[in-house]
Amino acid sequence: MKLRIFIFLLPLLLLSTTTNAHNITHILAKHPDLSTFNHYLTITHLAAEINRRRTITVAAIDNAAMNDLLAKHFSLYTLKNILSLHVFADYFGAKKLHQITKGSTTTSSLFQATGEAAGTSGYVNITDMKGGKVGFNPVDSDSDQPMATYVKSIEELPYNISVIQISHGLSSPEAEAPTASPTDLNLTSLMAKQGCLAFSELITAQGADDTFTQSVEGGLTIFCPSDETLKSFMPRYKNLTKEGKTSLLLYHGVPLYNSLGMLRSSNGLMNTLATEGANKYDFTIQNDGDDVKVQTKIVTATIKGTLIDEDPLAVYKIDKVLLPRELFKTAPPSPAPKSPKSKRGSTEDDDEADAPGPAEDDSDLVADSTSNDGNRFRGGELLSVGFSLFVGILMCIF
Ligand SMILES: *[C@@H]1O[C@H](CO)[C@@H](O)[C@H](O)[C@H]1NC(C)=O
Ligand SMILES: *[C@@H]1O[C@H](CO)[C@@H](O)[C@H](O)[C@H]1NC(C)=O
Ligand SMILES: *[C@@H]1O[C@H](CO)[C@@H](O)[C@H](O)[C@H]1NC(C)=O
Ligand SMILES: *[C@@H]1O[C@H](CO)[C@@H](O)[C@H](O)[C@H]1NC(C)=O
Ligand SMILES: *[C@@H]1O[C@H](CO)[C@@H](O)[C@H](O)[C@H]1NC(C)=O
């Protein structure tokens, strides 16, 4: 029994170490001539994305250059794509920019990472030109565009974030392509195209798509189980009643917009589209380092990718089906609870990890659920139980 107590204390200990290394809004606030750029980073939610990443470069443009961009009257969603071209997934301090080997390098931008960009769009060429100038050029930009050049360094926190100023806004036809407002999106086909096909098909088959679609305008966050995850769950899904199936699907939607940044800064209870009355069909958001976890009484899922994050709609891919206790009985305590294992084993960067490991998934689902097959020890679990014990013993001593 003691062991279990320590295991549950462990996440609390880890939580207290969660801090953001940098705050782009704060950095840019010291530069009034970059205030428009700063403002748009905030309202497009790119600021939160920048803050949660490490090893990143932000190429800011001044208010005059921002006004040129705003004069084109892009929608906020298109503007987000254009501004994400200004955030590079690598660290370029002033020194590195002026010492680029072979004079030129190509870096990927956040636009590339959003999945909105096709092919090479989303990559930016950086060229160390004659006379100490450094040029920036999106790989698929129109050739008649003036090349943006390096102006100065704004702030360097090696090797977390480098903020520089460049002369012009970066753009490309792909980034400028009109982006539909989330309220006009076809939710089920959006999910189907980005790795949640099985979940979207269940929603359609169950006639629950209207409930989801009608919720978008007021704000909606969906946690969709990946196709791999859902496949192994299907026997148990089929076993539910018609009402049970609908409740389970609606349980994966929260009638509020939550950006990843908001989820990261808010541990606590969330109501879902299935909630009817207090303490029914709710779950808990729990941060764990860079991971955001969704905890029901029965299972803990981790966010593994973002399908869309545009106010008022966010859709995240998760690695477990969320099992409400109203439909699935709590599992009897098993000798090797899974939670410490996933806590300790989730150190890899989730940014690009869109596809959860399928083999891992299936067995996790079984062990976390009502099935009585909870006796499977693996090396990692033994290690983490050992670690928990160690922490527990330390806590007894002090
Ligand atoms: C970042 O800095 C801004 C301005 O200083 C502040 O309003 C905001 O709360 C900070 N965000 C975080 C996550 O600390
Ligand atoms: C980007 O760099 C690559 C290789 O360095 C080069 O072939 C290409 O022409 C460059 N594109 C632009 C738009 O500068
Ligand atoms: C970079 O981030 C790490 C981890 O958050 C932090 O410990 C370190 O102080 C940061 N470096 C700088 C220069 O701010
Ligand atoms: C969404 O797309 C699917 C097929 O791609 C279609 O069957 C469905 O009617 C669309 N839903 C809406 C609300 O337009
Ligand atoms: C389906 O439900 C029955 C009756 O509740 C139960 O005995 C059986 O184990 C369930 N099957 C699965 C795959 O969950």
Side-chain angles (χ1 to χ4, degrees):
M1 242 19 220
K2 254 188 178 160
L3 174 65
R4 283 176 63 79
I5 291 168
F6 295 135
I7 286 169
F8 290 118
L9 278 172
L10 185 60
L12 291 178
L13 289 174
L14 293 176
L15 264 182
S16 57
T17 63
T18 307
T19 48
N20 266 342
H22 49 256
N23 179 342
I24 184 68
T25 313
H26 188 69
I27 294 172
L28 291 174
K30 290 172 245 167
H31 303 268
D33 55 325
L34 304 175
S35 61
T36 312
F37 183 80
N38 197 9
H39 174 71
Y40 278 92
L41 285 189
T42 301
I43 64 174
T44 56
H45 303 289
L46 279 171
E49 192 59 31
I50 292 167
N51 292 347
R52 94 185 177 81
R53 289 184 178 243
R54 305 271 151 78
T55 319
I56 203 161
T57 300
V58 178
I61 53 176
D62 68 10
N63 296 344
M66 264 313 279
N67 286 342
D68 289 346
L69 190 57
L70 294 174
K72 296 186 186 169
H73 300 289
F74 293 118
S75 74
L76 191 58
Y77 309 106
T78 302
L79 211 49
K80 177 176 185 175
N81 285 341
I82 296 173
L83 291 181
S84 16
L85 267 179
H86 294 71
V87 185
F88 312 143
D90 200 353
Y91 184 90
F92 291 99
K95 197 164 160 221
K96 183 168 166 190
L97 283 173
H98 290 95
Q99 293 178 348
I100 289 170
T101 30
K102 299 201 186 114
S104 174
T105 187
T106 305
T107 184
S108 65
S109 70
L110 269 196
F111 181 48
Q112 210 278 319
T114 56
E116 299 263 358
T120 55
S121 61
Y123 289 93
V124 175
N125 271 3
I126 306 179
T127 313
D128 193 2
M129 300 185 298
K130 298 240 149 48
K133 273 192 166 183
V134 180
F136 298 82
N137 208 359
V139 166
D140 71 334
S141 71
D142 289 335
S143 49
D144 56 351
Q145 253 192 297
M147 163 111 67
T149 53
Y150 173 81
V151 176
K152 65 181 182 209
S153 168
I154 301 295
E155 188 150 334
E156 296 191 10
L157 301 172
Y159 291 89
N160 297 345
I161 186 169
S162 165
V163 184
I164 60 173
Q165 186 182 337
I166 59 174
S167 61
H168 294 78
L170 304 175
S171 196
S172 72
E174 185 99 17
E176 290 188 10
T179 310
S181 139
T183 47
D184 298 334
L185 282 174
N186 183 326
L187 252 186
T188 45
S189 66
L190 172 111
M191 290 194 275
K193 280 184 203 146
Q194 298 196 55
C196 292
L197 175 65
F199 185 66
S200 75
E201 284 174 347
L202 292 183
I203 288 178
T204 307
Q206 207 54 32
D209 37 351
D210 280 353
T211 310
F212 278 99
T213 302
Q214 284 160 13
S215 306
V216 174
E217 203 167 321
L220 179 66
T221 304
I222 300 175
F223 298 92
C224 73
S226 64
D227 287 344
E228 300 88 339
T229 303
L230 212 53
K231 204 166 138 200
S232 57
F233 176 71
M234 280 316 284
R236 301 179 72 201
Y237 179 79
K238 293 204 180 100
N239 218 9
L240 294 169
T241 63
K242 188 169 187 302
E243 293 74 31
K245 285 176 182 156
T246 302
S247 297
L248 179 88
L249 296 174
L250 296 182
Y251 187 58
H252 288 74
V254 169
L256 273 180
Y257 166 71
N258 285 283
S259 70
L260 208 50
M262 291 156 83
L263 290 176
R264 268 168 206 289
S265 54
S266 60
N267 291 328
L269 215 58
M270 289 219 168
N271 283 333
T272 69
L273 292 173
T275 302
E276 311 154 332
N279 305 322
K280 284 268 171 65
Y281 286 103
D282 51 17
F283 56 66
T284 305
I285 296 292
Q286 194 76 66
N287 285 277
D288 175 15
D290 277 351
D291 285 338
V292 176
K293 311 245 175 199
V294 185
Q295 288 181 335
T296 82
K297 289 276 187 302
I298 300 172
V299 56
T300 299
T302 305
I303 293 185
K304 290 293 184 185
T306 304
L307 276 58
I308 185 173
D309 181 358
E310 287 175 10
D311 199 351
L313 174 67
V315 184
Y316 305 107
K317 195 192 286 184
I318 52 174
D319 63 350
K320 303 256 176 68
V321 176
L322 299 175
L323 306 177
R325 62 162 187 265
E326 286 79 4
L327 294 176
F328 300 88
K329 291 198 175 56
T330 318
S334 66
K338 298 292 293 187
S339 49
K341 186 239 150 197
S342 50
K343 296 278 178 202
R344 300 300 304 161
S346 59
T347 47
E348 84 263 62
D349 196 355
D350 64 341
D351 293 339
E352 279 78 38
D354 244 23
E360 181 90 355
D361 258 353
D362 298 0
S363 48
D364 276 11
L365 184 64
V366 173
D368 266 326
S369 66
T370 60
S371 154
N372 50 19
D373 188 15
N375 269 321
R376 277 190 266 165
F377 271 97
R378 277 180 294 193
E381 286 164 1
L382 275 173
L383 259 179
S384 66
V385 170
F387 179 81
S388 307
L389 249 179
F390 173 71
V391 172
I393 290 165
L394 276 185
M395 287 178 54
C396 284
I397 294 171
F398 300 107

